[in-house]
Amino acid sequence: MPEESEKKTQRVGPMSHVTRDMAIEMVNRSPAHVILIDKDNYIIDVNQRAESLLMQKAEVLVGGHPTDVFAAILGRVTSIGEERAERGFQLQYGPYWYEAQVFPTSDATSADAPVFRVIRAIDITDRKAAEFELLESEARLEEATRIARMGTYRLYWDTRKMIWSHQMYEIHGVAPGSIDPSSPSYIKFLHPDDVNVVRDMLDDLIVGKEISGAEYRIIRGEGDIRWLSVEGRVLFDSDGKPYASFGTVQDVTESKNREERLRDLVARNTILTEALQASPVGVAVLTPDLERPTFFYVNPELETITGFSEGYLIGSSVEVLRGPETDSSGFQDLLDAIQSRLLLSCELTLHGEGGAPFLSQIELAPVTAQDRTSVVGLTLIVRDITDDRRRTEAMMDAQKMEALGKLSGGVAHEINNLLQPIITLSDLGFEACAPEQDKLRKYFEVITGSGRKARDVVRQILTFSRQDAPLVASHSIAPIVEDAVKLARSGIPPGIDLQCNIDVQEACAMVNPTQVSQVVINLVRNAADAMAGQGVVDLSLVRLSPEQIITSAVPHRHNGWLLLSVSDTGCGIDNQSRHRIFEPFFTTKPVGQGTGLGLSVVYSIVLGWGGAVSLDSEVDQGTTAMVYIPEYVEAIDSTIDMESPT
């Protein structure tokens, strides 16, 4: 051991003063971690940076072999050779990166001076991390541009040389490097309508203008048209002088297609919305909320039908349309269909603002999402069919009455033929009887009287069937009605107060005076009979306003209408009987107190004038008979339709 220590001391023994000073100065001034080793790889000296790196003082390190990173550098030199070592190399040691260099040196003043080597290590960990981050950023950028279908370009102004990124070739559908984007041949990719757009864009780039959002089309193989969006910025050199343009090119075809589809969708939705707004039927959209479906959208017609405003209906439940006349089971069926998202078509009496009832045709249908897997709403269509139903029922009544009229007319003629010899022969038999044959004469009187009564009934039947209807002409109707009222007063019980209100003294109508009297007397007598001899009968004759005409039961539009109404406060008529009240021989009176021909005759007469008859009645509340008569104006005489609506 003493010999080894002495040998070690000799190896690092005193050097020439000049060589030692130069080495120490070089080592201490170096910005790197530096050690000096002799030809046997023993440490001669270290600088302060190396001491810090190795965490030992020079006195301890001198005379020993290199350790840690310096040993790794020395080992690398052995593997790569001295020539490469002189040029330097990079080395990773643990988590750190170093730029390393090993080179020999000697005392320039003496050829016999010992040769030693310098090992330099500069910590480049931060620089290497920055390089890695740059590479990673470039890789991320490359991946991002690939996903975004975005390429980059660089255009040098002086040479007009265009450089593309790899993604630019993919965007154009060609192999990298297969075309020169700077050459005029690039025009073959351009859509004919966009050639000038690209030329202007290139001219702007070359003179240093920035570009943002410029778009043009290219045509790839097999006619595939793609939309490209271009951005361009100016590049500056180290002296701050602009020399080129750099930018991005993105394939925005899918975005343009979506925009086009969106425009089409918006246009289609606008048309659909306008159609719904102008729809002659009420349309609403309900939310799919299972707990409480509410109105999400209502069109103007639904507002008109219900009387509720859009602001009131939106957010409200369909329960707002339920009223006292709404069928409970039918409405529950509607609610169940909403809850179950089922198709439904039904008729229901609904109630609008103020509780006004209206008969409606309802259709319910679920609205599914595009994937057909979920319900996003329910469409509710509401049609007010109150007037339609009334017209339908009136038409059916008219057809039924026409059929009954034809039948009764034929029967009446046959009976009339049979009554003629009965009445004639009974009169002759009465005259042929001797005065003392009282009993026989009385028999003939009964036969004659019964025959004449039967003949009167036949005449009423013929009047109903309109087979012997008298001619009509233009008459001032108010005086005729007034005269008929006088006759009617004489035939009603004294306990009945007949009140008359005639407000159309100058109105004319195409009527038959005898028929007018027949209508008034029949209606007044029916009203009196319904009150059991006590009460008030109101008779009025007025002109309808245009608004009243629209909502009335008139069979067709006319220039003007008169309304003859007779009201009582009697027993009223139930719904079932009201549908048959105009049928011949149908009566609600006790047996033996009515023939059932009075209202059927009224119905037939009024239809002959081109008018209409309707009844409004409620049990124990009374009845109002309404006779609608077309008003006659001489200037439009030729246009009046006197035909029955049937």
Side-chain angles (χ1 to χ4, degrees):
M1 289 298 294
E3 293 180 358
E4 181 65 25
S5 177
E6 183 178 352
K7 183 178 180 181
K8 179 179 178 181
T9 303
Q10 288 178 344
R11 288 174 179 166
V12 295
M15 298 175 60
S16 67
H17 180 69
V18 175
T19 302
R20 182 83 176 177
D21 288 345
M22 290 176 61
I24 292 173
E25 183 179 2
M26 180 186 68
V27 167
N28 287 331
R29 288 184 178 181
S30 174
H33 310 292
V34 181
I35 66 173
L36 279 68
I37 60 174
D38 61 16
K39 61 183 182 64
D40 295 323
N41 294 336
Y42 285 98
I43 297 175
I44 299 174
D45 202 354
V46 298
N47 70 350
Q48 294 178 353
R49 291 180 180 274
E51 288 180 329
S52 176
L53 175 64
L54 298 174
M55 295 184 293
Q56 295 188 60
K57 291 293 185 180
E59 293 81 5
V60 178
L61 295 171
V62 171
H65 288 292
T67 60
D68 294 333
V69 66
F70 294 105
I73 293 173
L74 200 57
R76 182 76 177 273
V77 168
T78 303
S79 64
I80 65 176
E82 294 294 336
E83 182 182 355
R84 174 69 181 275
E86 292 179 7
R87 293 199 301 269
F89 56 90
Q90 292 183 353
L91 175 73
Q92 183 179 14
Y93 186 77
Y96 301 99
W97 278 89
Y98 296 93
E99 190 171 78
Q101 187 179 19
V102 179
F103 57 89
T105 185
S106 63
D107 187 0
T109 62
S110 174
D112 298 331
V115 177
F116 56 89
R117 287 185 293 179
V118 178
I119 301 178
R120 298 174 67 249
I122 299 176
D123 188 344
I124 61 170
T125 303
D126 291 341
R127 190 180 78 189
K128 203 69 175 177
E131 289 178 0
F132 286 149
E133 184 176 351
L134 179 60
L135 290 174
E136 185 178 356
S137 176
E138 290 177 350
R140 287 197 301 266
L141 177 61
E142 179 67 19
E143 181 65 12
T145 56
R146 184 189 67 80
I147 295 174
R149 301 186 64 80
M150 179 185 292
T152 59
Y153 68 90
R154 183 173 294 187
L155 175 62
Y156 295 94
W157 298 344
D158 53 351
T159 62
R160 298 202 173 191
K161 180 68 175 176
M162 176 79 75
I163 305 298
W164 276 3
S165 69
H166 176 81
Q167 190 63 30
M168 285 288 288
Y169 292 96
E170 288 191 14
I171 289 175
H172 286 75
V174 296
S178 60
I179 63 169
D180 180 6
S182 306
S183 69
S185 63
Y186 179 67
I187 197 173
K188 70 179 183 180
F189 286 96
L190 301 179
H191 191 283
D193 295 339
D194 294 343
V195 172
N196 291 332
V197 174
V198 175
R199 284 174 176 167
D200 293 342
M201 182 179 61
L202 291 174
D203 290 342
D204 289 343
L205 287 172
I206 289 173
V207 297
K209 291 184 179 180
E210 293 189 348
I211 293 177
S212 178
E215 293 181 344
Y216 68 95
R217 287 165 291 181
I218 62 172
I219 303 176
R220 303 198 308 187
E222 298 182 357
D224 180 22
I225 298 177
R226 312 296 294 181
W227 276 94
L228 305 183
S229 177
V230 183
E231 302 284 336
R233 299 291 182 268
V234 177
L235 290 177
F236 298 88
D237 61 16
S238 58
D239 296 328
K241 294 181 179 180
Y243 71 97
S245 294
F246 172 83
T248 60
V249 176
Q250 185 176 16
D251 186 340
V252 294
T253 305
E254 299 304 323
S255 176
K256 295 289 287 187
N257 290 340
R258 285 194 298 270
E259 290 177 5
E260 185 66 25
R261 289 194 296 269
L262 181 60
R263 281 194 295 269
D264 292 342
L265 180 62
V266 170
R268 186 166 64 251
N269 286 346
T270 299
I271 294 173
L272 290 175
T273 300
E274 292 297 328
L276 288 175
Q277 292 292 99
S279 174
V281 298
V283 180
V285 178
L286 304 177
T287 62
D289 186 1
L290 284 174
E291 296 295 328
R292 186 175 181 270
T294 58
F295 287 102
F296 174 76
Y297 165 84
V298 296
N299 72 340
E301 182 61 21
L302 189 64
E303 295 181 70
T304 302
I305 291 173
T306 63
F308 292 120
S309 66
E310 178 185 21
Y312 179 82
L313 288 174
I314 299 298
S316 299
S317 167
V318 292
E319 291 281 355
V320 298
L321 301 179
R322 186 203 289 260
E325 295 185 31
T326 302
D327 179 64
S328 298
S329 61
F331 198 83
Q332 188 60 48
D333 290 342
L334 174 61
L335 295 178
D336 292 343
I338 293 174
Q339 293 288 337
S340 304
R341 279 96 162 119
L342 298 176
L343 291 169
L344 177 70
S345 179
C346 65
E347 290 183 4
L348 272 178
T349 298
L350 301 178
H351 289 254
E353 185 182 23
F358 61 93
L359 182 63
S360 62
Q361 173 69 41
I362 294 177
E363 294 180 17
L364 180 74
V367 180
T368 58
Q370 287 187 344
D371 57 8
R372 304 292 182 183
T373 60
S374 60
V375 175
V376 297
L378 298 109
T379 300
L380 182 69
I381 298 176
V382 180
R383 295 181 178 87
D384 185 350
I385 59 172
T386 306
D387 292 341
D388 292 341
R389 180 56 55 83
R390 186 173 63 234
R391 294 189 186 98
T392 300
E393 290 177 351
M395 183 179 295
M396 291 179 64
D397 288 342
Q399 291 173 345
K400 180 172 63 176
M401 296 302 289
E402 182 180 11
L404 287 172
K406 291 180 179 179
L407 175 62
S408 59
V411 173
H413 274 297
E414 293 297 326
I415 295 175
N416 201 41
N417 292 334
L418 296 175
L419 288 174
Q420 192 64 33
I422 294 175
I423 296 173
T424 302
L425 292 176
S426 60
D427 283 341
L428 292 175
F430 179 82
E431 294 176 358
C433 289
E436 64 275 8
Q437 294 178 307
D438 293 336
K439 192 172 184 180
L440 185 59
R441 291 168 65 90
K442 189 174 294 185
Y443 290 159
F444 280 118
E445 285 179 354
V446 171
I447 294 172
T448 303
S450 297
R452 289 193 173 114
K453 288 180 180 179
R455 185 178 59 189
D456 292 338
V457 171
V458 169
R459 285 176 178 173
Q460 286 185 309
I461 294 174
L462 290 174
T463 300
F464 165 76
S465 65
R466 296 171 57 188
Q467 294 185 19
D468 61 346
L471 295 176
V472 296
S474 175
H475 294 277
S476 179
I477 194 169
I480 301 174
V481 173
E482 289 173 348
D483 290 342
V485 169
K486 293 177 182 178
L487 290 174
R489 278 200 175 100
S490 62
I492 60 177
I496 300 298
D497 182 13
L498 176 58
Q499 297 183 357
C500 184
N501 175 32
I502 298 178
D503 194 29
V504 285
Q505 292 298 329
E506 299 179 357
C508 293
M510 296 292 289
V511 295
N512 178 276
T514 301
Q515 288 182 327
V516 173
S517 297
Q518 196 172 1
V519 168
V520 171
I521 291 172
N522 272 326
L523 293 179
V524 170
R525 285 179 177 174
N526 277 347
D529 291 344
M531 293 187 293
Q534 295 290 330
V536 178
V537 175
D538 289 314
L539 182 146
S540 67
L541 180 64
V542 298
R543 179 181 286 109
L544 294 179
S545 67
E547 294 77 12
Q548 291 173 315
I549 292 174
I550 294 175
T551 58
S552 67
V554 295
H556 52 79
R557 295 293 172 255
H558 188 75
N559 290 36
W561 285 87
L562 304 174
L563 173 60
L564 173 66
S565 63
V566 177
S567 301
D568 63 66
T569 56
C571 59
I573 307 171
D574 59 59
N575 288 333
Q576 185 175 2
S577 299
R578 191 164 51 190
H579 290 295
R580 301 185 58 196
I581 200 66
F582 294 118
E583 293 181 11
F585 309 112
F586 176 82
T587 180
T588 58
K589 298 176 183 179
V591 177
Q593 295 187 18
T595 62
L597 287 171
L599 287 178
S600 62
V601 169
V602 169
Y603 180 89
S604 178
I605 289 173
V606 175
L607 252 61
W609 300 341
V613 183
S614 66
L615 285 181
D616 185 9
S617 183
E618 188 174 347
V619 176
D620 297 330
Q621 297 297 320
T623 301
T624 298
M626 292 165 286
V627 177
Y628 298 92
I629 307 170
E631 184 176 2
Y632 171 73
V633 180
E634 186 175 359
I636 58 169
D637 184 20
S638 61
T639 66
I640 296 178
D641 181 7
M642 293 304 298
E643 293 297 325
S644 166
T646 60

